[in-house]
Amino acid sequence: EAGVAQSPRYKIIEKRQSVAFWCNPISGHATLYWYQQILGQGPKLLIQFQNNGVVDDSQLPKDRFSAERLKGVDSTLKIQPAKLEDSAVYLCASSPLRSVYNEQFFGPGTRLTVL
Amino acid sequence: GESVGLHLPTLSVQEGDNSIINCAYSNSASDYFIWYKQESGKGPQFIIDIRSNMDKRQGQRVTVLLNKTVKHLSLQIAATQPGDSAVYFCAENRNSGYALNFGKGTSLLVTP
């Protein structure tokens, strides 16, 4: 079974530039998550989708971050404009159902460096 | 606010020894806990989970213990191997939202 795919793996941009990350979840997984992992810390949820609808975006900095999952499969996370503190690894995860007892499968992440 | 934290940031063990990684949580409503392993350059990988109605669960070479009285869980790795070197996170998956709330992580280093 193919895992969660993310691209690009690495991205270096200057502050105030824009950047977009792409995620392809495991086939058939209805729930998709974007996490931000700052160096030395655990991942922090940014946004959660159930199919193509947003379930939780309470921790998403909406003035600069946006995400979509238009067809309920792939998802894109965008930052515009980027700040230095956005340097982090952006992880995408998916799970089959929206359940408390549901394992989440993580992709390899995109490492963003903002200069 | 609510948090999931780890007692020690780093742990060094000799190959073949048993490892114990501890985690404290503060939300008494938490009802599901997961341990993840994260190797350098990779996403977190599921190791083992436990529901709040259990106090112990065993997997292959790993055991998770949950003490709800003191809001503490631990991950025990038997006969630790060099391939076990990684950062280990405990996470809680609360009933609301279903996303994971991660602690900071413990770096496990296995020495020969």
PDB file of all heavy atoms in Angstrom, chain A residues 9 33 35 37 40-43 45 48 91 98-101 103-104 106-108, chain B residues 31-32 36 38 41 43-44 46 51 89 93 95 97-100 102-104:
ATOM      1  N   ARG A   9      10.042  18.005  -1.147  1.00  0.00           N
ATOM      2  CA  ARG A   9      10.621  17.566   0.116  1.00  0.00           C
ATOM      3  C   ARG A   9      11.328  18.704   0.830  1.00  0.00           C
ATOM      4  O   ARG A   9      11.361  18.756   2.065  1.00  0.00           O
ATOM      5  CB  ARG A   9      11.598  16.420  -0.121  1.00  0.00           C
ATOM      6  CG  ARG A   9      10.951  15.130  -0.570  1.00  0.00           C
ATOM      7  CD  ARG A   9       9.997  14.554   0.490  1.00  0.00           C
ATOM      8  NE  ARG A   9      10.560  14.553   1.835  1.00  0.00           N
ATOM      9  CZ  ARG A   9      11.370  13.606   2.296  1.00  0.00           C
ATOM     10  NH1 ARG A   9      11.692  12.582   1.540  1.00  0.00           N
ATOM     11  NH2 ARG A   9      11.856  13.693   3.530  1.00  0.00           N
ATOM     12  N   TYR A  33      -4.927  15.656   7.408  1.00  0.00           N
ATOM     13  CA  TYR A  33      -4.439  16.625   8.394  1.00  0.00           C
ATOM     14  C   TYR A  33      -3.158  17.276   7.867  1.00  0.00           C
ATOM     15  O   TYR A  33      -2.329  16.617   7.237  1.00  0.00           O
ATOM     16  CB  TYR A  33      -4.088  15.946   9.714  1.00  0.00           C
ATOM     17  CG  TYR A  33      -5.125  15.005  10.281  1.00  0.00           C
ATOM     18  CD1 TYR A  33      -5.255  13.706   9.799  1.00  0.00           C
ATOM     19  CD2 TYR A  33      -5.946  15.395  11.325  1.00  0.00           C
ATOM     20  CE1 TYR A  33      -6.182  12.834  10.330  1.00  0.00           C
ATOM     21  CE2 TYR A  33      -6.878  14.524  11.879  1.00  0.00           C
ATOM     22  CZ  TYR A  33      -6.993  13.243  11.369  1.00  0.00           C
ATOM     23  OH  TYR A  33      -7.908  12.387  11.912  1.00  0.00           O
ATOM     24  N   TYR A  35       0.059  19.261   9.649  1.00  0.00           N
ATOM     25  CA  TYR A  35       0.724  19.608  10.899  1.00  0.00           C
ATOM     26  C   TYR A  35       1.961  20.453  10.589  1.00  0.00           C
ATOM     27  O   TYR A  35       2.613  20.275   9.558  1.00  0.00           O
ATOM     28  CB  TYR A  35       1.180  18.358  11.653  1.00  0.00           C
ATOM     29  CG  TYR A  35       0.079  17.526  12.257  1.00  0.00           C
ATOM     30  CD1 TYR A  35      -0.567  16.542  11.513  1.00  0.00           C
ATOM     31  CD2 TYR A  35      -0.284  17.686  13.597  1.00  0.00           C
ATOM     32  CE1 TYR A  35      -1.564  15.759  12.074  1.00  0.00           C
ATOM     33  CE2 TYR A  35      -1.275  16.898  14.171  1.00  0.00           C
ATOM     34  CZ  TYR A  35      -1.900  15.936  13.406  1.00  0.00           C
ATOM     35  OH  TYR A  35      -2.882  15.166  13.977  1.00  0.00           O
ATOM     36  N   GLN A  37       5.708  21.214  12.208  1.00  0.00           N
ATOM     37  CA  GLN A  37       6.659  20.739  13.205  1.00  0.00           C
ATOM     38  C   GLN A  37       7.890  21.632  13.207  1.00  0.00           C
ATOM     39  O   GLN A  37       8.719  21.556  12.296  1.00  0.00           O
ATOM     40  CB  GLN A  37       7.057  19.285  12.955  1.00  0.00           C
ATOM     41  CG  GLN A  37       7.948  18.726  14.050  1.00  0.00           C
ATOM     42  CD  GLN A  37       8.246  17.244  13.882  1.00  0.00           C
ATOM     43  OE1 GLN A  37       8.169  16.702  12.777  1.00  0.00           O
ATOM     44  NE2 GLN A  37       8.565  16.570  14.976  1.00  0.00           N
ATOM     45  N   GLY A  40      12.767  20.542  17.019  1.00  0.00           N
ATOM     46  CA  GLY A  40      12.851  20.250  18.446  1.00  0.00           C
ATOM     47  C   GLY A  40      11.514  20.133  19.140  1.00  0.00           C
ATOM     48  O   GLY A  40      11.467  19.946  20.358  1.00  0.00           O
ATOM     49  N   GLN A  41      10.424  20.253  18.369  1.00  0.00           N
ATOM     50  CA  GLN A  41       9.098  20.168  18.962  1.00  0.00           C
ATOM     51  C   GLN A  41       8.275  19.078  18.293  1.00  0.00           C
ATOM     52  O   GLN A  41       8.622  18.575  17.221  1.00  0.00           O
ATOM     53  CB  GLN A  41       8.378  21.515  18.829  1.00  0.00           C
ATOM     54  CG  GLN A  41       9.073  22.658  19.554  1.00  0.00           C
ATOM     55  CD  GLN A  41       8.296  23.962  19.443  1.00  0.00           C
ATOM     56  OE1 GLN A  41       7.109  23.981  19.111  1.00  0.00           O
ATOM     57  NE2 GLN A  41       8.967  25.059  19.738  1.00  0.00           N
ATOM     58  N   GLY A  42       7.164  18.754  18.934  1.00  0.00           N
ATOM     59  CA  GLY A  42       6.239  17.824  18.326  1.00  0.00           C
ATOM     60  C   GLY A  42       5.379  18.517  17.287  1.00  0.00           C
ATOM     61  O   GLY A  42       5.247  19.747  17.288  1.00  0.00           O
ATOM     62  N   PRO A  43       4.796  17.770  16.386  1.00  0.00           N
ATOM     63  CA  PRO A  43       3.924  18.367  15.372  1.00  0.00           C
ATOM     64  C   PRO A  43       2.714  19.050  16.008  1.00  0.00           C
ATOM     65  O   PRO A  43       2.195  18.592  17.029  1.00  0.00           O
ATOM     66  CB  PRO A  43       3.484  17.166  14.537  1.00  0.00           C
ATOM     67  CG  PRO A  43       4.536  16.114  14.774  1.00  0.00           C
ATOM     68  CD  PRO A  43       4.966  16.316  16.183  1.00  0.00           C
ATOM     69  N   LEU A  45      -1.142  20.634  15.002  1.00  0.00           N
ATOM     70  CA  LEU A  45      -2.164  20.626  13.960  1.00  0.00           C
ATOM     71  C   LEU A  45      -2.412  22.029  13.409  1.00  0.00           C
ATOM     72  O   LEU A  45      -2.575  22.988  14.157  1.00  0.00           O
ATOM     73  CB  LEU A  45      -3.483  20.086  14.510  1.00  0.00           C
ATOM     74  CG  LEU A  45      -4.638  20.087  13.503  1.00  0.00           C
ATOM     75  CD1 LEU A  45      -4.427  18.996  12.462  1.00  0.00           C
ATOM     76  CD2 LEU A  45      -5.987  19.940  14.191  1.00  0.00           C
ATOM     77  N   GLN A  48      -7.602  20.313   9.606  1.00  0.00           N
ATOM     78  CA  GLN A  48      -8.099  18.955   9.416  1.00  0.00           C
ATOM     79  C   GLN A  48      -9.268  18.983   8.441  1.00  0.00           C
ATOM     80  O   GLN A  48     -10.195  19.786   8.590  1.00  0.00           O
ATOM     81  CB  GLN A  48      -8.539  18.370  10.757  1.00  0.00           C
ATOM     82  CG  GLN A  48      -9.150  16.992  10.678  1.00  0.00           C
ATOM     83  CD  GLN A  48      -9.694  16.519  12.015  1.00  0.00           C
ATOM     84  OE1 GLN A  48      -9.387  17.086  13.053  1.00  0.00           O
ATOM     85  NE2 GLN A  48     -10.489  15.469  11.988  1.00  0.00           N
ATOM     86  N   LEU A  91       3.971  18.547   7.800  1.00  0.00           N
ATOM     87  CA  LEU A  91       3.602  17.142   7.684  1.00  0.00           C
ATOM     88  C   LEU A  91       2.150  17.000   7.285  1.00  0.00           C
ATOM     89  O   LEU A  91       1.282  17.690   7.822  1.00  0.00           O
ATOM     90  CB  LEU A  91       3.816  16.432   9.027  1.00  0.00           C
ATOM     91  CG  LEU A  91       5.253  16.318   9.526  1.00  0.00           C
ATOM     92  CD1 LEU A  91       5.269  16.000  11.010  1.00  0.00           C
ATOM     93  CD2 LEU A  91       5.996  15.250   8.751  1.00  0.00           C
ATOM     94  N   ARG A  98     -13.012   9.383  10.446  1.00  0.00           N
ATOM     95  CA  ARG A  98     -12.898  10.409  11.482  1.00  0.00           C
ATOM     96  C   ARG A  98     -13.319   9.758  12.793  1.00  0.00           C
ATOM     97  O   ARG A  98     -14.487   9.675  13.110  1.00  0.00           O
ATOM     98  CB  ARG A  98     -13.783  11.604  11.161  1.00  0.00           C
ATOM     99  CG  ARG A  98     -13.645  12.743  12.157  1.00  0.00           C
ATOM    100  CD  ARG A  98     -14.297  13.993  11.619  1.00  0.00           C
ATOM    101  NE  ARG A  98     -14.218  15.081  12.583  1.00  0.00           N
ATOM    102  CZ  ARG A  98     -15.248  15.534  13.284  1.00  0.00           C
ATOM    103  NH1 ARG A  98     -16.433  14.982  13.131  1.00  0.00           N
ATOM    104  NH2 ARG A  98     -15.094  16.508  14.128  1.00  0.00           N
ATOM    105  N   SER A  99     -12.319   9.247  13.492  1.00  0.00           N
ATOM    106  CA  SER A  99     -12.598   8.494  14.706  1.00  0.00           C
ATOM    107  C   SER A  99     -11.545   8.792  15.752  1.00  0.00           C
ATOM    108  O   SER A  99     -10.415   9.088  15.423  1.00  0.00           O
ATOM    109  CB  SER A  99     -12.607   6.999  14.394  1.00  0.00           C
ATOM    110  OG  SER A  99     -12.538   6.223  15.573  1.00  0.00           O
ATOM    111  N   VAL A 100     -11.936   8.682  16.980  1.00  0.00           N
ATOM    112  CA  VAL A 100     -10.985   8.891  18.066  1.00  0.00           C
ATOM    113  C   VAL A 100      -9.892   7.842  18.028  1.00  0.00           C
ATOM    114  O   VAL A 100      -8.724   8.126  18.214  1.00  0.00           O
ATOM    115  CB  VAL A 100     -11.707   8.835  19.429  1.00  0.00           C
ATOM    116  CG1 VAL A 100     -10.703   8.923  20.572  1.00  0.00           C
ATOM    117  CG2 VAL A 100     -12.719   9.942  19.537  1.00  0.00           C
ATOM    118  N   TYR A 101     -10.268   6.613  17.734  1.00  0.00           N
ATOM    119  CA  TYR A 101      -9.319   5.501  17.820  1.00  0.00           C
ATOM    120  C   TYR A 101      -8.753   5.154  16.457  1.00  0.00           C
ATOM    121  O   TYR A 101      -8.640   3.994  16.096  1.00  0.00           O
ATOM    122  CB  TYR A 101     -10.013   4.285  18.432  1.00  0.00           C
ATOM    123  CG  TYR A 101     -10.703   4.605  19.741  1.00  0.00           C
ATOM    124  CD1 TYR A 101     -12.069   4.470  19.860  1.00  0.00           C
ATOM    125  CD2 TYR A 101      -9.981   5.063  20.829  1.00  0.00           C
ATOM    126  CE1 TYR A 101     -12.709   4.766  21.051  1.00  0.00           C
ATOM    127  CE2 TYR A 101     -10.609   5.362  22.029  1.00  0.00           C
ATOM    128  CZ  TYR A 101     -11.978   5.216  22.133  1.00  0.00           C
ATOM    129  OH  TYR A 101     -12.607   5.515  23.311  1.00  0.00           O
ATOM    130  N   GLU A 103      -5.737   5.386  13.723  1.00  0.00           N
ATOM    131  CA  GLU A 103      -4.328   5.659  13.482  1.00  0.00           C
ATOM    132  C   GLU A 103      -4.179   6.640  12.334  1.00  0.00           C
ATOM    133  O   GLU A 103      -4.861   6.541  11.324  1.00  0.00           O
ATOM    134  CB  GLU A 103      -3.614   4.360  13.139  1.00  0.00           C
ATOM    135  CG  GLU A 103      -2.124   4.532  12.830  1.00  0.00           C
ATOM    136  CD  GLU A 103      -1.476   3.241  12.403  1.00  0.00           C
ATOM    137  OE1 GLU A 103      -2.102   2.178  12.588  1.00  0.00           O
ATOM    138  OE2 GLU A 103      -0.355   3.298  11.876  1.00  0.00           O
ATOM    139  N   GLN A 104      -3.283   7.581  12.501  1.00  0.00           N
ATOM    140  CA  GLN A 104      -2.964   8.539  11.448  1.00  0.00           C
ATOM    141  C   GLN A 104      -1.635   8.145  10.810  1.00  0.00           C
ATOM    142  O   GLN A 104      -0.677   7.833  11.506  1.00  0.00           O
ATOM    143  CB  GLN A 104      -2.885   9.957  12.006  1.00  0.00           C
ATOM    144  CG  GLN A 104      -4.219  10.453  12.532  1.00  0.00           C
ATOM    145  CD  GLN A 104      -4.160  11.849  13.065  1.00  0.00           C
ATOM    146  OE1 GLN A 104      -3.308  12.641  12.701  1.00  0.00           O
ATOM    147  NE2 GLN A 104      -5.089  12.171  13.962  1.00  0.00           N
ATOM    148  N   PHE A 106       1.487   9.270   8.467  1.00  0.00           N
ATOM    149  CA  PHE A 106       2.168  10.508   8.116  1.00  0.00           C
ATOM    150  C   PHE A 106       3.013  10.362   6.857  1.00  0.00           C
ATOM    151  O   PHE A 106       3.604   9.301   6.607  1.00  0.00           O
ATOM    152  CB  PHE A 106       3.078  10.960   9.258  1.00  0.00           C
ATOM    153  CG  PHE A 106       2.353  11.571  10.407  1.00  0.00           C
ATOM    154  CD1 PHE A 106       1.761  10.784  11.375  1.00  0.00           C
ATOM    155  CD2 PHE A 106       2.241  12.951  10.510  1.00  0.00           C
ATOM    156  CE1 PHE A 106       1.076  11.354  12.442  1.00  0.00           C
ATOM    157  CE2 PHE A 106       1.569  13.530  11.560  1.00  0.00           C
ATOM    158  CZ  PHE A 106       0.982  12.739  12.531  1.00  0.00           C
ATOM    159  N   GLY A 107       3.091  11.453   6.097  1.00  0.00           N
ATOM    160  CA  GLY A 107       4.015  11.534   4.989  1.00  0.00           C
ATOM    161  C   GLY A 107       5.386  11.951   5.479  1.00  0.00           C
ATOM    162  O   GLY A 107       5.576  12.200   6.670  1.00  0.00           O
ATOM    163  N   PRO A 108       6.363  12.063   4.572  1.00  0.00           N
ATOM    164  CA  PRO A 108       7.737  12.399   4.971  1.00  0.00           C
ATOM    165  C   PRO A 108       7.931  13.859   5.333  1.00  0.00           C
ATOM    166  O   PRO A 108       8.920  14.221   5.955  1.00  0.00           O
ATOM    167  CB  PRO A 108       8.553  12.035   3.733  1.00  0.00           C
ATOM    168  CG  PRO A 108       7.593  12.188   2.609  1.00  0.00           C
ATOM    169  CD  PRO A 108       6.251  11.778   3.144  1.00  0.00           C
TER     170      PRO A 108
ATOM    171  N   ASP B  31      -8.695  10.100  26.090  1.00  0.00           N
ATOM    172  CA  ASP B  31      -9.120   8.710  26.147  1.00  0.00           C
ATOM    173  C   ASP B  31      -8.403   7.806  25.158  1.00  0.00           C
ATOM    174  O   ASP B  31      -8.754   6.629  25.023  1.00  0.00           O
ATOM    175  CB  ASP B  31     -10.635   8.612  25.937  1.00  0.00           C
ATOM    176  CG  ASP B  31     -11.088   9.326  24.675  1.00  0.00           C
ATOM    177  OD1 ASP B  31     -10.215   9.710  23.869  1.00  0.00           O
ATOM    178  OD2 ASP B  31     -12.296   9.485  24.488  1.00  0.00           O
ATOM    179  N   TYR B  32      -7.391   8.356  24.499  1.00  0.00           N
ATOM    180  CA  TYR B  32      -6.651   7.526  23.539  1.00  0.00           C
ATOM    181  C   TYR B  32      -5.267   8.104  23.422  1.00  0.00           C
ATOM    182  O   TYR B  32      -5.103   9.314  23.256  1.00  0.00           O
ATOM    183  CB  TYR B  32      -7.374   7.542  22.199  1.00  0.00           C
ATOM    184  CG  TYR B  32      -6.745   6.722  21.103  1.00  0.00           C
ATOM    185  CD1 TYR B  32      -6.405   5.389  21.283  1.00  0.00           C
ATOM    186  CD2 TYR B  32      -6.523   7.284  19.854  1.00  0.00           C
ATOM    187  CE1 TYR B  32      -5.851   4.633  20.270  1.00  0.00           C
ATOM    188  CE2 TYR B  32      -5.981   6.549  18.829  1.00  0.00           C
ATOM    189  CZ  TYR B  32      -5.639   5.220  19.037  1.00  0.00           C
ATOM    190  OH  TYR B  32      -5.105   4.478  18.023  1.00  0.00           O
ATOM    191  N   TYR B  36       4.579   7.485  18.824  1.00  0.00           N
ATOM    192  CA  TYR B  36       5.123   7.559  17.475  1.00  0.00           C
ATOM    193  C   TYR B  36       6.647   7.596  17.549  1.00  0.00           C
ATOM    194  O   TYR B  36       7.228   8.154  18.487  1.00  0.00           O
ATOM    195  CB  TYR B  36       4.646   8.824  16.750  1.00  0.00           C
ATOM    196  CG  TYR B  36       3.293   8.707  16.095  1.00  0.00           C
ATOM    197  CD1 TYR B  36       2.133   9.009  16.810  1.00  0.00           C
ATOM    198  CD2 TYR B  36       3.163   8.299  14.772  1.00  0.00           C
ATOM    199  CE1 TYR B  36       0.883   8.915  16.211  1.00  0.00           C
ATOM    200  CE2 TYR B  36       1.916   8.202  14.169  1.00  0.00           C
ATOM    201  CZ  TYR B  36       0.792   8.509  14.900  1.00  0.00           C
ATOM    202  OH  TYR B  36      -0.447   8.409  14.299  1.00  0.00           O
ATOM    203  N   GLN B  38       9.956   8.854  15.276  1.00  0.00           N
ATOM    204  CA  GLN B  38      10.314   9.691  14.140  1.00  0.00           C
ATOM    205  C   GLN B  38      11.823   9.654  13.913  1.00  0.00           C
ATOM    206  O   GLN B  38      12.595  10.116  14.753  1.00  0.00           O
ATOM    207  CB  GLN B  38       9.843  11.138  14.328  1.00  0.00           C
ATOM    208  CG  GLN B  38      10.029  11.984  13.079  1.00  0.00           C
ATOM    209  CD  GLN B  38       9.403  13.366  13.198  1.00  0.00           C
ATOM    210  OE1 GLN B  38       9.256  13.905  14.285  1.00  0.00           O
ATOM    211  NE2 GLN B  38       9.023  13.951  12.063  1.00  0.00           N
ATOM    212  N   GLY B  41      14.478  13.056   9.091  1.00  0.00           N
ATOM    213  CA  GLY B  41      14.036  13.232   7.712  1.00  0.00           C
ATOM    214  C   GLY B  41      12.786  12.478   7.338  1.00  0.00           C
ATOM    215  O   GLY B  41      12.396  12.461   6.160  1.00  0.00           O
ATOM    216  N   GLY B  43       8.573  11.236   8.467  1.00  0.00           N
ATOM    217  CA  GLY B  43       7.398  11.567   9.253  1.00  0.00           C
ATOM    218  C   GLY B  43       7.250  10.600  10.419  1.00  0.00           C
ATOM    219  O   GLY B  43       7.869   9.538  10.457  1.00  0.00           O
ATOM    220  N   PRO B  44       6.442  10.958  11.415  1.00  0.00           N
ATOM    221  CA  PRO B  44       6.208  10.055  12.553  1.00  0.00           C
ATOM    222  C   PRO B  44       5.620   8.724  12.097  1.00  0.00           C
ATOM    223  O   PRO B  44       4.772   8.677  11.204  1.00  0.00           O
ATOM    224  CB  PRO B  44       5.213  10.842  13.404  1.00  0.00           C
ATOM    225  CG  PRO B  44       5.412  12.273  13.033  1.00  0.00           C
ATOM    226  CD  PRO B  44       5.745  12.235  11.571  1.00  0.00           C
ATOM    227  N   PHE B  46       3.755   5.207  13.471  1.00  0.00           N
ATOM    228  CA  PHE B  46       2.982   4.613  14.563  1.00  0.00           C
ATOM    229  C   PHE B  46       3.741   3.436  15.177  1.00  0.00           C
ATOM    230  O   PHE B  46       4.278   2.591  14.469  1.00  0.00           O
ATOM    231  CB  PHE B  46       1.643   4.138  14.007  1.00  0.00           C
ATOM    232  CG  PHE B  46       0.780   3.378  14.981  1.00  0.00           C
ATOM    233  CD1 PHE B  46      -0.146   4.055  15.746  1.00  0.00           C
ATOM    234  CD2 PHE B  46       0.883   2.005  15.107  1.00  0.00           C
ATOM    235  CE1 PHE B  46      -0.970   3.368  16.625  1.00  0.00           C
ATOM    236  CE2 PHE B  46       0.083   1.305  15.979  1.00  0.00           C
ATOM    237  CZ  PHE B  46      -0.848   1.984  16.742  1.00  0.00           C
ATOM    238  N   ARG B  51      -5.997   2.616  24.713  1.00  0.00           N
ATOM    239  CA  ARG B  51      -7.216   3.345  25.077  1.00  0.00           C
ATOM    240  C   ARG B  51      -7.259   3.540  26.584  1.00  0.00           C
ATOM    241  O   ARG B  51      -6.636   2.789  27.336  1.00  0.00           O
ATOM    242  CB  ARG B  51      -8.454   2.591  24.600  1.00  0.00           C
ATOM    243  CG  ARG B  51      -8.478   2.384  23.092  1.00  0.00           C
ATOM    244  CD  ARG B  51      -9.798   1.827  22.632  1.00  0.00           C
ATOM    245  NE  ARG B  51      -9.792   1.558  21.190  1.00  0.00           N
ATOM    246  CZ  ARG B  51     -10.880   1.223  20.499  1.00  0.00           C
ATOM    247  NH1 ARG B  51     -12.051   1.115  21.095  1.00  0.00           N
ATOM    248  NH2 ARG B  51     -10.786   0.998  19.200  1.00  0.00           N
ATOM    249  N   PHE B  89       7.604  10.308  20.325  1.00  0.00           N
ATOM    250  CA  PHE B  89       6.568  11.232  20.769  1.00  0.00           C
ATOM    251  C   PHE B  89       5.392  10.458  21.331  1.00  0.00           C
ATOM    252  O   PHE B  89       4.966   9.460  20.754  1.00  0.00           O
ATOM    253  CB  PHE B  89       6.033  12.065  19.604  1.00  0.00           C
ATOM    254  CG  PHE B  89       7.013  13.020  19.004  1.00  0.00           C
ATOM    255  CD1 PHE B  89       7.730  12.684  17.861  1.00  0.00           C
ATOM    256  CD2 PHE B  89       7.213  14.271  19.556  1.00  0.00           C
ATOM    257  CE1 PHE B  89       8.615  13.564  17.290  1.00  0.00           C
ATOM    258  CE2 PHE B  89       8.094  15.171  18.995  1.00  0.00           C
ATOM    259  CZ  PHE B  89       8.810  14.810  17.861  1.00  0.00           C
ATOM    260  N   ASN B  93      -5.223  11.642  21.454  1.00  0.00           N
ATOM    261  CA  ASN B  93      -6.229  11.875  20.432  1.00  0.00           C
ATOM    262  C   ASN B  93      -7.553  12.039  21.159  1.00  0.00           C
ATOM    263  O   ASN B  93      -8.228  11.071  21.454  1.00  0.00           O
ATOM    264  CB  ASN B  93      -6.284  10.690  19.462  1.00  0.00           C
ATOM    265  CG  ASN B  93      -7.118  10.985  18.250  1.00  0.00           C
ATOM    266  OD1 ASN B  93      -7.954  11.871  18.263  1.00  0.00           O
ATOM    267  ND2 ASN B  93      -6.908  10.250  17.195  1.00  0.00           N
ATOM    268  N   ASN B  95     -11.417  13.248  22.178  1.00  0.00           N
ATOM    269  CA  ASN B  95     -12.682  12.966  21.523  1.00  0.00           C
ATOM    270  C   ASN B  95     -13.120  14.110  20.624  1.00  0.00           C
ATOM    271  O   ASN B  95     -13.793  13.897  19.632  1.00  0.00           O
ATOM    272  CB  ASN B  95     -13.749  12.692  22.582  1.00  0.00           C
ATOM    273  CG  ASN B  95     -14.966  12.022  21.976  1.00  0.00           C
ATOM    274  OD1 ASN B  95     -14.845  11.162  21.119  1.00  0.00           O
ATOM    275  ND2 ASN B  95     -16.137  12.418  22.422  1.00  0.00           N
ATOM    276  N   GLY B  97     -12.419  16.796  17.885  1.00  0.00           N
ATOM    277  CA  GLY B  97     -11.473  17.190  16.854  1.00  0.00           C
ATOM    278  C   GLY B  97     -10.716  16.038  16.232  1.00  0.00           C
ATOM    279  O   GLY B  97     -10.428  16.072  15.066  1.00  0.00           O
ATOM    280  N   TYR B  98     -10.357  15.033  17.002  1.00  0.00           N
ATOM    281  CA  TYR B  98      -9.698  13.832  16.520  1.00  0.00           C
ATOM    282  C   TYR B  98      -8.271  14.041  16.059  1.00  0.00           C
ATOM    283  O   TYR B  98      -7.585  13.090  15.731  1.00  0.00           O
ATOM    284  CB  TYR B  98     -10.494  13.195  15.376  1.00  0.00           C
ATOM    285  CG  TYR B  98     -11.939  12.957  15.744  1.00  0.00           C
ATOM    286  CD1 TYR B  98     -12.957  13.651  15.106  1.00  0.00           C
ATOM    287  CD2 TYR B  98     -12.279  12.059  16.736  1.00  0.00           C
ATOM    288  CE1 TYR B  98     -14.272  13.450  15.453  1.00  0.00           C
ATOM    289  CE2 TYR B  98     -13.601  11.855  17.095  1.00  0.00           C
ATOM    290  CZ  TYR B  98     -14.598  12.550  16.453  1.00  0.00           C
ATOM    291  OH  TYR B  98     -15.905  12.354  16.792  1.00  0.00           O
ATOM    292  N   ALA B  99      -7.797  15.249  16.001  1.00  0.00           N
ATOM    293  CA  ALA B  99      -6.402  15.444  15.640  1.00  0.00           C
ATOM    294  C   ALA B  99      -5.538  15.061  16.831  1.00  0.00           C
ATOM    295  O   ALA B  99      -6.019  14.862  17.938  1.00  0.00           O
ATOM    296  CB  ALA B  99      -6.162  16.888  15.235  1.00  0.00           C
ATOM    297  N   LEU B 100      -4.249  14.941  16.602  1.00  0.00           N
ATOM    298  CA  LEU B 100      -3.333  14.525  17.640  1.00  0.00           C
ATOM    299  C   LEU B 100      -2.694  15.719  18.326  1.00  0.00           C
ATOM    300  O   LEU B 100      -2.319  16.687  17.679  1.00  0.00           O
ATOM    301  CB  LEU B 100      -2.242  13.634  17.046  1.00  0.00           C
ATOM    302  CG  LEU B 100      -2.710  12.282  16.506  1.00  0.00           C
ATOM    303  CD1 LEU B 100      -1.585  11.581  15.776  1.00  0.00           C
ATOM    304  CD2 LEU B 100      -3.242  11.414  17.633  1.00  0.00           C
ATOM    305  N   PHE B 102       0.558  16.438  20.306  1.00  0.00           N
ATOM    306  CA  PHE B 102       1.866  15.838  20.550  1.00  0.00           C
ATOM    307  C   PHE B 102       2.617  16.511  21.676  1.00  0.00           C
ATOM    308  O   PHE B 102       2.496  17.725  21.888  1.00  0.00           O
ATOM    309  CB  PHE B 102       2.741  15.959  19.295  1.00  0.00           C
ATOM    310  CG  PHE B 102       2.419  15.003  18.195  1.00  0.00           C
ATOM    311  CD1 PHE B 102       1.405  15.270  17.304  1.00  0.00           C
ATOM    312  CD2 PHE B 102       3.159  13.841  18.036  1.00  0.00           C
ATOM    313  CE1 PHE B 102       1.109  14.389  16.268  1.00  0.00           C
ATOM    314  CE2 PHE B 102       2.887  12.955  17.004  1.00  0.00           C
ATOM    315  CZ  PHE B 102       1.866  13.225  16.120  1.00  0.00           C
ATOM    316  N   GLY B 103       3.441  15.734  22.364  1.00  0.00           N
ATOM    317  CA  GLY B 103       4.427  16.275  23.277  1.00  0.00           C
ATOM    318  C   GLY B 103       5.669  16.675  22.504  1.00  0.00           C
ATOM    319  O   GLY B 103       5.719  16.579  21.274  1.00  0.00           O
ATOM    320  N   LYS B 104       6.715  17.109  23.219  1.00  0.00           N
ATOM    321  CA  LYS B 104       7.923  17.609  22.562  1.00  0.00           C
ATOM    322  C   LYS B 104       8.815  16.503  22.026  1.00  0.00           C
ATOM    323  O   LYS B 104       9.559  16.693  21.088  1.00  0.00           O
ATOM    324  CB  LYS B 104       8.721  18.481  23.518  1.00  0.00           C
ATOM    325  CG  LYS B 104       8.107  19.860  23.738  1.00  0.00           C
ATOM    326  CD  LYS B 104       9.066  20.782  24.460  1.00  0.00           C
ATOM    327  CE  LYS B 104       8.483  22.178  24.607  1.00  0.00           C
ATOM    328  NZ  LYS B 104       9.425  23.089  25.294  1.00  0.00           N
TER     329      LYS B 104
END
